[in-house]
Amino acid sequence: MSDSALPVRTSGTSQATPRPARSKWLALVIIALAQLTVVLDGTIVNVALPDAQAALGMSDSDRSWVVTLYALAFGSLLLLGGRIADYWGRKRSFIVGMAGFALASGIGGLATTGGMLLAARGAQGVFAALLAPAALAMLNVTFPKGPDRAKAFAVYGTIAGGGAAIGLVLGGVLTEYFSWHWCLLVNVPIAIVAIAMAIPILTESKADGDTRYDVPGALLVTLGLGSIVYGFSRASLGWDRLDTIGFLALGVALLVVFVLVEGRVSNPLLPLRVVANRVRGGAYITSLLVGAALLGGLLYLTLYFQIVLKFTPLHSGLSSLPMTASIIAGATIVSRILPKVGPRILMTIGPVFAAGGLFWLSHLTVENEYFVQILPGQILLGLGLAMVFVPMQNVALSGIEARDSGVGSAAVTATQQIGGSIGTAVFTAIYSSAVAAYVIANPSQNPLPSLVSGYSSVFMAASITVLCAAPIAFILVNVKRRAFAGSQR
């Protein structure tokens, strides 16, 4: 049996004493609340963006950076955040990360300039990079094996997949009845509740042994990922630009050096054993591709609702509700059949469903035919995401040593966030090119058809992106059904 099919190993870590069943499930509530907060903020501002852009006098480029900057800071610092959680303590990192996230959210909610909002979004990403891996690592050590582990990861996976869609609905409600500011301010009371529950309920755990930080590795991976995402963001101005090519090449070079360094240092930021495992590697690549399609694609669906169809923020958020419902319903079914069929089949079929939903959305028109043009695509996309996210979180941490729980958790979250950053940047470039091409070919005073052409191109690109995850999951996530089920007992 490969290590990918084994429960979490407990060597080399300072573990909390076994917790009562009630305390364990209360811990899951706290962890789920933190995960929901982090995922929500990837999309909750999407609905508020048109209002925020007008109020703060932001350009279209700045508007996209409100989304990209959060995901960039979040994704590029996650590995470091995961190691801090392992070494400093996961409960301590959780509380500090949640408090800092709330503070940054408060600043963003009170922003009076575009620069202030962008700075707050970057700070949110920094503290989310500490909070998210600490939360997932605590889940990993709280539910090391047994049927409860499958249930806990099903809850977590549902939030990971559905939280983005819930963010669109909540953002619509807050923007419609309060203001766009509350899309950020809402995190403050949620954080207060989570911290108040975490202090008495969560127990501390951290890695023993060598806890020196890999500073060169942290600098290389942060600069490398940041350079790649920034390079893609410049592609909206042209793929042949010197800065586009230069930053992309620099990012790749820095990441190559990072891998070489990690193979040589005694206490690496990202032990290569974490990602070299075939099954976990497949989960990470799948997470990267699905994250790109999900976070990048949902932004343009929101813009289509508000700019083309003239939906109010609330109407726009409610129009995204069927996808949320299909994710939740799909996750309920998937969590029940997962031990019987194993993750491989689900993680192969899921991207096909999601790609079908995005392909359906690529046929949008200026006319509002929601039940024909949009609803079927949302349902297919939601079901596909449920089939991917529920098993993916579990598979990505299967067989990992408890000492590496924080960095392993960070790796799977980082792939999704970096995928979202790259996806948003690349899709922005595709959108701009498609709009420009349509205007040249079809001169008209009505800008809406050109915008729809751009949105359709984005959904088509997102469909192809997520479809690539299907063969990767089929080939790499080769966990036998019996082996996976055995790890759940």
Side-chain angles (χ1 to χ4, degrees), residues 38-57:
V38 170
V39 176
L40 279 177
D41 263 70
T43 57
I44 193 172
V45 297
N46 286 5
V47 177
L49 273 179
D51 283 13
Q53 181 181 8
L56 301 179

Side-chain angles (χ1 to χ4, degrees), residues 303-356:
L303 296 177
Y304 172 75
F305 284 152
Q306 294 194 52
I307 296 175
V308 177
L309 301 186
K310 307 300 182 183
F311 285 1
T312 65
L314 176 60
H315 192 183
S316 176
L318 292 176
S319 297
S320 302
L321 198 57
M323 183 169 64
T324 307
S326 62
I327 290 174
I328 294 173
T332 303
I333 298 172
V334 169
S335 63
R336 293 177 180 176
I337 66 175
L338 177 57
K340 299 178 182 179
V341 303
R344 185 185 192 184
I345 294 177
L346 292 170
M347 291 180 65
T348 301
I349 298 176
V352 176
F353 271 68

Side-chain angles (χ1 to χ4, degrees), residues 437-446 450:
Y438 187 93
V439 170
I440 293 174
N442 305 275
S444 172
Q445 293 184 347
N446 183 3
S450 65

Side-chain angles (χ1 to χ4, degrees), residues 2 4 278-279 343-344 472-481:
S2 67
S4 61
R278 175 173 177 167
V279 173
R344 185 185 192 184
I472 290 171
F474 181 78
I475 295 170
L476 297 181
V477 186
N478 60 343
V479 182
K480 301 298 182 183
R481 178 186 60 82

Side-chain angles (χ1 to χ4, degrees), residues 410-461:
V412 65
T413 309
T415 52
Q416 185 178 348
Q417 291 300 320
I418 289 299
S421 298
I422 294 174
T424 302
V426 172
F427 296 154
T428 297
I430 292 173
Y431 165 80
S432 299
S433 298
V435 170
Y438 187 93
V439 170
I440 293 174
N442 305 275
S444 172
Q445 293 184 347
N446 183 3
L448 295 185
S450 65
L451 298 182
V452 171
S453 175
Y455 301 148
S456 298
S457 298
V458 167
F459 290 127
M460 181 62 73

Side-chain angles (χ1 to χ4, degrees), residues 212-279:
R212 290 174 299 172
Y213 289 101
D214 174 20
V215 176
L219 291 174
L220 286 168
V221 72
T222 301
L223 294 175
L225 292 174
S227 181
I228 286 178
V229 173
Y230 185 73
F232 276 119
S233 73
R234 302 301 293 172
S236 61
L237 302 176
W239 289 97
D240 57 347
R241 288 172 55 94
L242 183 60
D243 55 349
T244 301
I245 298 172
F247 277 105
L248 290 175
L250 176 62
V252 171
L254 289 172
L255 292 182
V256 170
V257 176
F258 168 72
V259 172
L260 295 176
V261 168
E262 298 307 276
R264 294 176 179 272
V265 298
S266 59
N267 201 35
L269 176 69
L270 177 62
L272 297 183
R273 62 179 177 272
V274 172
V275 294
N277 175 274
R278 175 173 177 167
V279 173

